[in-house]
Amino acid sequence: ACDQRRGSLAWVSGEPELSLLLGLLAETALPAPALFWVGLKRNASTCTHAEQPLRGFSWEGVEGGTAPQEVPAALGRWLQEPRRSCVSARCAVLRLA
């Protein structure tokens, strides 16, 4: 969908960006809990790794692999740990409560 609109997915590269994003989302009149896909995806051929900050997920739509593989501490709080799997694709969402 982003490509069709001549855009690309964004990723959160640090605490200042995350704070700004959460502030903007908090100002909207969306009913809680609201879910937003932040571009984190784990492909079917990639396993879940509980010891990694991104749990085996990576930033989707990244040209040349330049997205950070670190995750801001506040974004690294998983409401629910991803299912351990190596056979199905999964996406991670940001939950605004």
Side-chain angles (χ1 to χ4, degrees):
C2 291
D3 287 341
Q4 291 173 353
R5 294 182 176 107
R6 296 187 327 180
S8 60
L9 290 170
W11 54 83
V12 180
S13 64
E15 295 292 340
E17 279 187 10
L18 180 60
S19 295
L20 176 64
L21 174 63
L22 292 175
L24 291 171
L25 292 174
E27 292 175 7
T28 65
L30 296 171
L35 301 177
F36 298 92
W37 185 48
V38 293
L40 278 178
K41 181 179 179 184
R42 185 183 50 75
N43 293 322
S45 61
T46 306
C47 296
T48 306
H49 296 285
E51 69 282 357
Q52 296 177 352
L54 294 179
R55 309 299 196 264
F57 286 74
S58 60
W59 298 105
E60 181 72 9
V62 176
E63 297 296 326
T66 58
Q69 290 305 303
E70 300 81 38
V71 63
L75 191 60
R77 290 184 305 224
W78 294 78
L79 181 64
Q80 182 178 1
E81 285 294 324
R83 253 186 255 157
R84 289 187 148 289
S85 173
C86 299
V87 295
S88 61
R90 296 280 184 220
C91 295
V93 296
L94 178 63
R95 182 174 184 245
L96 183 64

